[in-house]
């Protein structure tokens, strides 16, 4: 699957959800906040900042699912503003996860305040650094996105 196809898959899912939930307003801000929440949930599952605990991170599958929850919202925000990237900006940069999560949070906030294509791309670059540091390949992410996309449709059908 090509990266560009994800934007269309997300557009279809968003349309399905908005019709199913009878959404009548612009939900850009809600999706922006949801993205921040999903990033925080991923950080929580990595436990990278929990210096007070000896418990390790969640299993890889849990981390990957949390990661693609963010991907759904990033695609959705791009669709709303017409920012459709041709390819995944996969950056291979080793970085401490806590620093990466803080940088990513700042990048998301910058995009939400200044909705430019450059700031949108910067979000994807930060997420690619997270993927690299969690050892997720693009194929891992694409496959996990497909699985979660189907799960999201099923949730809507069952009154989630």
């Amino acid at each position: 699957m090509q990266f560009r196809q994800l934007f269309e898959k997300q557009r279809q899912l968003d349309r399905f959800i908005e019709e199913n939930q009878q959404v009548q307003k612009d939900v850009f801000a809600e999706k922006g906040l949801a993205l921040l929440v999903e990033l925080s949930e991923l950080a929580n599952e990595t436990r990278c900042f929990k210096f007070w605990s000896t418990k390790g991170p969640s299993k890889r599958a849990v981390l990957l699912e949390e990661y693609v929850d963010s991907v759904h919202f990033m695609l959705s925000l791009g669709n709303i503003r017409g920012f459709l990237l041709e390819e995944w900006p996969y950056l291979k940069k080793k970085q401490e996860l806590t620093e990466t999560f803080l940088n990513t949070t700042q990048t998301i906030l910058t995009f939400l305040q200044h909705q430019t294509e450059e700031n949108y791309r910067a979000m994807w670059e930060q997420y690619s650094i997270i993927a690299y540091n969690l050892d997720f390949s693009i194929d891992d992410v694409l496959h996990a996105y497909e699985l979660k996309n189907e799960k999201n449709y099923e949730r809507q059908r069952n009154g989630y």
Side-chain angles (χ1 to χ4, degrees):
M1 170 182 295
Q2 298 298 322
F3 183 61
R4 186 72 181 248
Q5 291 174 307
L6 292 184
F7 286 94
E8 183 54 35
K9 284 188 165 289
Q10 189 62 44
R11 184 182 337 279
Q12 291 169 7
L13 175 61
D14 288 344
R15 189 176 307 124
F16 183 80
I17 291 170
E18 289 170 13
E19 288 173 5
N20 192 46
Q21 299 297 329
Q22 300 177 0
V23 175
Q24 300 294 320
K25 67 176 191 163
D26 179 3
V27 290
F28 186 88
E30 286 81 355
K31 289 180 180 187
L33 179 57
L35 176 58
L36 288 165
V37 169
E38 294 300 343
L39 177 66
S40 297
E41 288 178 3
L42 175 60
N44 193 50
E45 293 296 336
T46 69
R47 303 180 60 80
C48 64
F49 61 94
K50 295 186 178 188
F51 61 88
W52 57 86
S53 176
T54 58
K55 184 178 175 185
S58 294
K59 293 184 186 226
R60 186 174 193 277
V62 172
L63 296 175
L64 188 53
E65 184 172 347
E66 290 295 343
Y67 182 88
V68 298
D69 284 346
S70 289
V71 170
H72 276 82
F73 288 109
M74 290 183 3
L75 290 166
S76 189
L77 290 169
N79 280 332
I80 291 171
R81 292 297 179 251
F83 302 146
L84 312 179
L85 303 181
E86 292 293 329
E87 59 185 37
W88 183 284
Y90 195 65
L91 302 180
K92 296 179 179 181
K93 179 180 178 184
K94 276 291 182 198
Q95 194 172 52
E96 290 294 320
L97 279 175
T98 299
E99 178 184 354
T100 304
F101 282 114
L102 291 171
N103 291 342
T104 304
T105 300
Q106 184 58 56
T107 303
I108 292 168
L109 290 170
T110 298
F111 171 69
L112 295 175
Q113 293 168 346
H114 307 285
Q115 299 160 25
T116 66
E117 192 164 359
E118 180 181 340
N119 289 338
Y120 181 69
R121 183 173 184 78
M123 276 192 332
W124 280 100
E125 290 172 353
Q126 281 301 127
Y127 266 87
S128 76
I129 294 169
I130 294 171
Y132 179 74
N133 283 278
L134 292 177
D135 199 30
F136 299 156
S137 70
I138 294 170
D139 288 338
D140 292 335
V141 173
L142 292 175
H143 179 69
Y145 175 87
E146 286 292 319
L147 293 174
K148 189 62 184 256
N149 196 49
E150 284 303 315
K151 187 175 186 178
N152 286 337
Y153 274 108
E154 192 60 34
R155 286 176 167 175
Q156 286 298 308
R157 289 183 194 105
N158 292 318
Y160 177 71

